[in-house]
Amino acid sequence: MKQTNMAPPVDLGALLRAELQEDAAHREDGLCVVGVFGKSSTQTGPLKESLINTLADKHIFSLFGGSDEGDSADSHVEAFYDQENRVLYLLLSSVCDSRQLLRACRSLSAGISHSDAHDFWKGLDRQHCLHLLYMFSVCHVLLLVHPSQTFDVTYDRLFRALDALRQKVLPLIRAAIKDCAVSKEWKLNCRPCPPRLLFVFQMNATLKVSGNGSDSGGNPEKPKKHSPRRRLQHALEDQIYRIFRKSRVLTNQSSNCLFTVPANQAFVYVIPAADKDPVGTLLGQLRSNCVLSEQDSTPVLTGPRRYQQVRRSARQPSSSRELSGLSMGGQLVDCSLKEFLWQHVELVLTKKGFDDSVGRNPQPSHFELPTYTKWVQLASRLYQVLITNTDEELAELATKVQSQVKVLDGFLDADTKFSENRCQKALPLAHSAYQSNLPHNYTTTVHKNQLAQALRVYSQHARGVAFQRYALQLHEDCYKFWSNGHQLCEERSLTDQHCVHKFHLLPQPGEKPDMDHNPPIMNHNSRGRSTSSCNCGRKQAPREDPFDIQAANYDFYQILEEKCCGKLERIDFPVFQPSTPDPAPASDQAQRLPSEASGDAERLKEPSTAQSHTPGDTSLSLALSLGQSTDSLGPYGDGDGGENPVQPKRPSLIDRQPSTVEYLPGMTHSACPKGLLPKFSSWSLLKLGPAKSYNCHTGLEQPGFLPGSSFLLPWDLVIRSRSEEDAGLTEPLDGGTSSWPAPNKNLVGKRGSAGGLGRSRRRDDMARVFVGFEYEDSRGRRFISSGPDKIVKALGPGGAKDPATRVLNTDMPLYVPSPSQGRGLKPHFAQLARLFIVVPDAPLEITLSPQVQPGPPPCPIFHPEQTEVALPHDGFWVLRFPYSYATERGPCFPPKENQPLSNYKVLRGILRVTTANPPPQ
């Protein structure tokens, strides 16, 4: 190869930015631009780089890849400027090359999805197309290099896509080069000439053809005029021209085409296969270059004119055939690759141009041979618009060009087109599966179940890269269908039943329901109705299924109180008393420390000396009653029980004063913060009359009771007088086994029995209290319970015989199975509704301290706003329990069929009795 002053190959962007100093002799000469692109196989030496080395007669490109090559898989163009021959070579490397393909595979992460990987490859394809469009816009001659001897028909689709893209971006390119110093034709057509496309194929080593052409079949002595390689080149030319003409990539007018092919010149060159013996091949080449024949007086030409010598030698063969280039048998000589290319380059350098139009009226195409300076000016602007997009002046045009790249998808992205067609056909089937067997309004659960069924049907038919995109569209379509008038109200009542209305808004205070509003304004309704009694239990009325705690525990009973028990004596529990016109609910629901709860429990163990039934006594702390659990409250609270052994100091009276600015939005329970009271009380404590108003022989004369189940349980208590020993001694009866004597068991050191009135004792030594836990189901059927699993049944006129010690010494269930079950399979439960207490006119102090745990741990323990209430003497009292229980975080729903009822209970110790000395007469 010749040793000339040539610069090494550089990146095209660096070449366009650099100021190359040309020789003065060639500064005004024209420049021919040759572009090389194509595919490469997994062979050791890259084919495209070796071609440029052969054309330049110099080792320019490394055949094994330089160490300075980056790891990026993006397309890039390398340039080599041969100033002596006035040829600029542009080499395009893209994902079609094995090296770039390997880098792209390495850059993919292992967990990438199928659609993301498809987008990655298609992004590389779009880069390749934009670089190709750039080369078709700045080159005179283009070499398409292919690593096999067969034509790849996918180039037909690629060229049609490039032609469509070029037509889209032509106005943008014209705007970019309008100020360049080139001809009007160049500015109009956005290229120096319709580029001529040449094809270079690599002969496969497995395909062998004879060198002498003796493949004539029956007459081997008759030689062919052309060698087998030349006949292959002619066949490929005919095939390529026929394919491009039928697809209208090539037309009669060359100025309208993306590229042209010559009509009377060869445009296909096949590189022969390499010999299997590389050492012998190198020795043969060395011998042919070093040994000259003495008879040859004709100087051997090199460069662009050698192909003319070859043709003259073919017409007039000399005596030395090895040096004349003729083969045995009189065949035409096969030209070299440089001779094949140079016959086209000569037409450019001599400014003759290409006349490749055909037909009856061929129109001449424009042609311009620019200088290096003019070409760099124009190529730089196109490089900014089509490839890099780093120039602020051309940024808008570059952005518009990128928006037009989507036209390539219709030609190149066949996978996406197939996938979209499949997914579009699967969408109607999925929509039908979603809407099958749907009610008019349905909840989120039904929506999700139907959506899962629709996705199963969709996944059976949809395929390809568009699967995820259309699956998201299916999600959106189903959600729009559901939310467009089919969405059921998601609110659940306090009995865990859904509202039957479609999605609606609640009316504001003073606002009337409006069904015509979108969405409609109305109250919740689950169509569930039940029968309940009033606070005192003497009147029953139907009630709607409540959705908020005020309607469940306050509003219903206030309506009935006006008709029944509004004039009865009562003990009011403390409620929130606002000091501002606009009070707010407590926002910081801090969890009570377990140490505080345990401290309150300790204080409850002390003898109560200041209990009063004065209404509105707010000096009492919201302490837990005896027997409360200090375990972690789980979803009901965030405290960790038992982790702080340090007991805090008892809070002062000022610290326990309830707030008058913030109120408790739920009910009082063991996990709510201190110092907050609700706006209403969910409990009610009424006095039905004096103690004698209860007749133990007839029981409660109230509606709804099952026959024989309306009798209260007797509770006999011993009262000690001054005349007896241990005068003034008190007995705490707090529900323990030693609080009161068991039936038929004598007290140690006492006279008589504790079960009744003995003859040896005075009548004022014994007091009888009546207690009854009343349960009521949703149909208004009521009964008194004599134990956790037993109903009072008094068959005779004497009333209930079972003592009340059993119900007072155990945790009573909050829910029990109703004795009258319905016809359905779903069981009905009766809920603890009231506690009846008959306090006699005796020196007894009975303290009421109810504690309810309406759920399994860590459910908090609910209690009234006043944790302990001292019941006055001589009274028939009734405590109405809440209908529903709720914390600030939500309601505590009734038990389900598979949930044990033992987790829902009223803790024992609800009554505590203290005997006192009788007042002096």
Side-chain angles (χ1 to χ4, degrees):
M1 295 184 180
K2 298 190 297 183
Q3 300 297 326
T4 57
N5 294 328
M6 300 183 192
V10 295
D11 184 74
L12 179 59
L15 177 69
L16 297 177
R17 291 190 299 269
E19 296 181 0
L20 182 63
Q21 298 295 331
E22 290 190 286
D23 296 339
H26 304 290
R27 188 172 301 168
E28 299 300 328
D29 294 342
L31 173 71
C32 178
V33 185
V34 178
V36 181
F37 70 97
K39 300 180 180 180
S40 63
S41 62
T42 56
Q43 59 187 357
T44 305
L47 182 59
K48 294 187 292 186
E49 286 82 349
S50 62
L51 290 184
I52 297 183
N53 292 342
T54 302
L55 295 174
D57 285 340
K58 186 176 178 66
H59 187 73
I60 304 299
F61 291 92
S62 174
L63 302 183
F64 300 98
S67 59
D68 56 342
E69 294 183 3
D71 294 333
S72 176
D74 296 338
S75 302
H76 62 276
V77 180
E78 293 180 283
F80 170 69
Y81 184 23
D82 186 357
Q83 293 191 37
E84 180 183 358
N85 294 319
R86 308 300 298 164
V87 177
L88 176 64
Y89 296 97
L90 301 181
L91 175 64
L92 173 61
S93 298
S94 66
V95 74
C96 297
D97 298 299
S98 56
R99 289 181 184 174
Q100 297 293 102
L101 182 61
L102 181 60
R103 292 171 185 165
C105 294
R106 288 175 179 172
S107 64
L108 284 176
S109 59
I112 192 171
S113 63
H114 179 58
S115 59
D116 293 339
H118 180 268
D119 294 339
F120 173 77
W121 292 115
K122 290 308 170 184
L124 294 179
D125 286 344
R126 295 186 187 96
Q127 284 187 5
H128 176 57
C129 291
L130 285 175
H131 283 73
L132 272 182
L133 180 62
Y134 175 80
M135 296 188 67
F136 275 94
S137 301
V138 298
C139 294
H140 297 91
V141 180
L142 287 162
L143 282 179
L144 190 155
V145 182
H146 197 67
S148 67
Q149 70 276 358
T150 57
F151 176 65
D152 189 356
V153 293
T154 58
Y155 279 112
D156 176 69
R157 187 171 67 249
L158 174 62
F159 291 150
R160 286 190 286 116
L162 283 178
D163 193 18
L165 178 60
R166 179 175 176 271
Q167 299 299 327
K168 289 285 186 180
V169 301
L170 266 181
L172 303 175
I173 298 178
R174 291 192 186 110
I177 64 173
K178 63 181 180 179
D179 297 331
C180 296
V182 293
S183 64
K184 294 182 179 180
E185 289 78 8
W186 193 335
K187 294 179 181 180
L188 179 63
N189 295 280
C190 300
R191 56 187 179 180
C193 67
R196 180 172 282 187
L197 183 61
L198 308 179
F199 298 84
V200 178
F201 295 91
Q202 172 72 48
M203 181 74 74
N204 197 333
T206 59
L207 183 62
K208 289 295 184 181
V209 293
S210 57
N212 56 2
S214 58
D215 56 346
S216 57
N219 189 6
E221 297 180 357
K222 182 179 179 181
K224 293 287 185 179
K225 181 178 180 181
H226 301 288
S227 66
R229 186 160 63 95
R230 176 166 290 193
R231 294 203 301 273
L232 176 61
Q233 293 174 173
H234 292 169
L236 287 173
E237 287 179 357
D238 295 340
Q239 182 187 33
I240 292 172
Y241 186 78
R242 185 166 54 249
I243 290 175
F244 286 159
R245 287 287 293 186
K246 285 194 173 182
S247 63
R248 299 195 62 81
V249 174
L250 293 176
T251 60
N252 290 342
Q253 305 300 327
S254 61
S255 60
N256 299 330
C257 302
L258 178 68
F259 61 86
T260 64
V261 294
N264 299 319
Q265 288 178 288
F267 59 89
V268 172
Y269 184 84
V270 177
I271 300 176
D275 199 334
K276 290 185 178 180
D277 184 10
V279 178
T281 302
L282 291 175
L283 290 176
Q285 292 180 354
L286 182 62
R287 187 182 303 108
S288 62
N289 290 334
C290 296
V291 178
L292 296 178
S293 177
E294 297 179 356
Q295 291 84 359
D296 187 15
S297 58
T298 306
V300 180
L301 300 177
T302 60
R305 296 295 183 179
R306 184 173 182 269
Y307 75 95
Q308 297 178 358
Q309 180 194 16
V310 174
R311 292 189 174 184
R312 287 197 299 270
S313 300
R315 291 191 297 268
Q316 298 177 0
S318 62
S319 58
S320 180
R321 294 186 179 181
E322 290 182 0
L323 299 177
S324 64
L326 293 177
S327 62
M328 296 179 62
Q331 290 182 347
L332 295 176
V333 68
D334 293 331
C335 62
S336 65
L337 176 63
K338 187 171 184 179
E339 293 165 354
F340 165 75
L341 173 64
W342 219 258
Q343 56 181 322
H344 304 281
V345 174
E346 279 292 318
L347 295 177
V348 177
L349 295 177
T350 58
K351 299 184 180 181
K352 293 182 180 179
F354 305 135
D355 188 13
D356 296 332
S357 297
V358 295
R360 295 182 180 180
N361 299 309
Q363 298 294 327
S365 59
H366 70 283
F367 176 83
E368 185 170 347
L369 185 65
T371 62
Y372 178 80
T373 304
K374 291 183 179 180
W375 183 88
V376 166
Q377 180 189 9
L378 185 138
S380 299
R381 299 184 71 84
L382 287 183
Y383 193 79
Q384 293 290 335
V385 172
L386 295 179
I387 298 178
T388 60
N389 188 17
T390 57
D391 193 346
E392 296 181 358
E393 296 181 358
L394 303 175
E396 184 179 358
L397 292 176
T399 304
K400 293 181 179 179
V401 168
Q402 292 295 330
S403 65
Q404 298 295 334
V405 176
K406 61 183 180 180
V407 74
L408 298 174
D409 297 341
F411 294 92
L412 302 181
D413 204 355
D415 296 341
T416 301
K417 184 181 293 186
F418 167 78
S419 178
E420 287 181 350
N421 291 336
R422 290 293 304 170
C423 295
Q424 288 174 359
K425 291 182 180 179
L427 273 184
L429 301 177
H431 289 158
S432 300
Y434 175 80
Q435 299 178 15
S436 62
N437 301 324
L438 268 182
H440 188 269
N441 300 105
Y442 48 95
T443 61
T444 304
T445 304
V446 178
H447 165 69
K448 291 180 177 179
N449 293 336
Q450 292 296 110
L451 181 60
Q453 177 64 22
L455 287 174
R456 282 193 292 267
V457 174
Y458 171 77
S459 61
Q460 293 174 358
H461 299 276
R463 293 293 183 273
V465 296
F467 181 93
Q468 191 67 23
R469 177 158 53 90
Y470 280 90
L472 294 177
Q473 182 178 341
L474 177 61
H475 272 269
E476 295 177 359
D477 294 344
C478 294
Y479 179 78
K480 289 180 180 178
F481 177 83
W482 176 49
S483 59
N484 189 18
H486 298 278
Q487 187 174 1
L488 188 67
C489 178
E490 295 294 324
E491 189 70 19
R492 303 177 73 90
S493 68
L494 298 180
T495 59
D496 202 15
Q497 298 185 53
H498 271 290
C499 176
V500 297
H501 294 315
K502 64 179 181 180
F503 181 77
H504 63 96
L505 300 177
L506 290 177
Q508 298 297 325
E511 184 180 7
K512 295 182 179 180
D514 185 5
M515 299 297 297
D516 297 331
H517 190 270
N518 188 18
I521 299 176
M522 64 179 76
N523 292 311
H524 295 299
N525 187 5
S526 66
R527 293 180 183 170
R529 294 176 65 88
S530 60
T531 301
S532 294
S533 303
C534 62
N535 286 328
C536 63
R538 292 183 296 187
K539 186 175 182 59
Q540 287 186 320
R543 66 181 303 169
E544 300 289 339
D545 193 12
F547 280 83
D548 60 270
I549 201 69
Q550 182 173 353
N553 297 337
Y554 185 76
D555 292 345
F556 171 76
Y557 299 104
Q558 285 297 109
I559 296 175
L560 291 183
E561 191 172 284
E562 299 175 358
K563 304 177 182 178
C564 178
C565 44
K567 298 181 179 181
L568 294 179
E569 182 181 349
R570 71 188 63 239
I571 297 179
D572 292 325
F573 294 104
V575 293
F576 172 72
Q577 301 294 334
S579 61
T580 59
D582 190 15
S587 58
D588 185 12
Q589 299 297 335
Q591 171 61 43
R592 288 167 51 92
L593 293 175
S595 58
E596 296 178 2
S598 60
D600 292 338
E602 291 295 331
R603 289 195 298 273
L604 282 177
K605 294 181 181 178
E606 301 175 0
S608 177
T609 58
Q611 297 295 336
S612 172
H613 69 281
T614 304
D617 187 1
T618 60
S619 64
L620 298 174
S621 67
L622 300 180
L624 300 181
S625 59
L626 186 62
Q628 85 166 22
S629 173
T630 58
D631 295 339
S632 173
L633 296 174
Y636 299 95
D638 302 327
D640 296 330
E643 293 185 1
N644 187 6
V646 180
Q647 296 291 338
K649 298 174 63 177
R650 291 185 58 180
S652 63
L653 184 63
I654 300 177
D655 295 334
R656 295 197 301 263
Q657 290 297 329
S659 172
T660 59
V661 179
E662 291 182 333
Y663 62 88
L664 187 68
M667 299 170 58
T668 54
H669 53 85
S670 59
C672 67
K674 294 191 306 179
L676 294 178
L677 292 174
K679 298 177 69 174
F680 59 91
S681 178
S682 299
W683 306 72
S684 174
L685 183 57
L686 299 178
K687 182 178 180 181
L688 299 180
K692 64 180 181 180
S693 61
Y694 172 73
N695 189 346
C696 61
H697 299 283
T698 59
L700 296 175
E701 296 179 352
Q702 293 184 358
F705 276 96
L706 298 178
S709 64
S710 62
F711 294 91
L712 304 183
L713 304 179
W715 184 22
D716 294 335
L717 300 175
V718 176
I719 304 174
R720 295 178 181 180
S721 63
R722 290 180 180 269
S723 62
E724 297 182 358
E725 61 272 18
D726 301 332
L729 184 65
T730 60
E731 279 192 41
L733 301 176
D734 55 355
T737 56
S738 62
S739 299
W740 50 78
N744 301 324
K745 186 175 181 182
N746 294 331
L747 292 175
V748 179
K750 308 294 180 182
R751 293 175 301 162
S753 65
L757 298 176
R759 294 181 180 179
S760 60
R761 296 181 57 87
R762 299 186 326 197
R763 292 184 178 273
D764 59 348
D765 292 341
M766 181 69 63
R768 171 165 291 185
V769 179
F770 290 94
V771 179
F773 287 87
E774 180 217 325
Y775 290 84
E776 184 177 17
D777 63 7
S778 59
R779 299 176 183 176
R781 290 170 293 199
R782 306 161 65 186
F783 57 89
I784 302 296
S785 176
S786 60
D789 53 354
K790 188 176 180 182
I791 302 176
V792 172
K793 291 183 179 180
L795 302 179
K801 305 299 182 181
D802 296 331
T805 55
R806 183 182 181 187
V807 296
L808 293 175
N809 288 338
T810 58
D811 295 337
M812 289 298 290
L814 185 60
Y815 298 94
V816 295
S818 177
S820 300
Q821 295 292 331
R823 298 180 180 178
L825 299 178
K826 184 178 180 180
H828 290 274
F829 295 113
Q831 179 182 349
L832 179 61
R834 288 163 197 85
L835 173 63
F836 293 93
I837 309 145
V838 178
V839 181
D841 187 9
L844 295 176
E845 186 173 302
I846 299 180
T847 303
L848 178 65
S849 179
Q851 301 174 78
V852 181
Q853 185 175 359
C859 178
I861 298 175
F862 289 80
H863 52 80
E865 293 76 15
Q866 183 176 337
T867 55
E868 295 184 353
V869 179
L871 299 179
H873 300 170
D874 190 18
F876 185 11
W877 297 91
V878 55
L879 172 69
R880 194 260 304 163
F881 286 84
Y883 182 79
S884 298
Y885 299 85
T887 65
E888 299 80 12
R889 294 174 175 85
C892 301
F893 293 118
K896 302 291 184 182
E897 300 178 18
N898 55 352
Q899 291 179 327
L901 299 181
S902 59
N903 293 327
Y904 303 80
K905 56 190 175 183
V906 178
L907 302 183
R908 61 183 176 178
I910 191 171
L911 292 177
R912 186 170 66 249
V913 178
T914 304
T915 60
N917 293 326
Q921 299 294 333

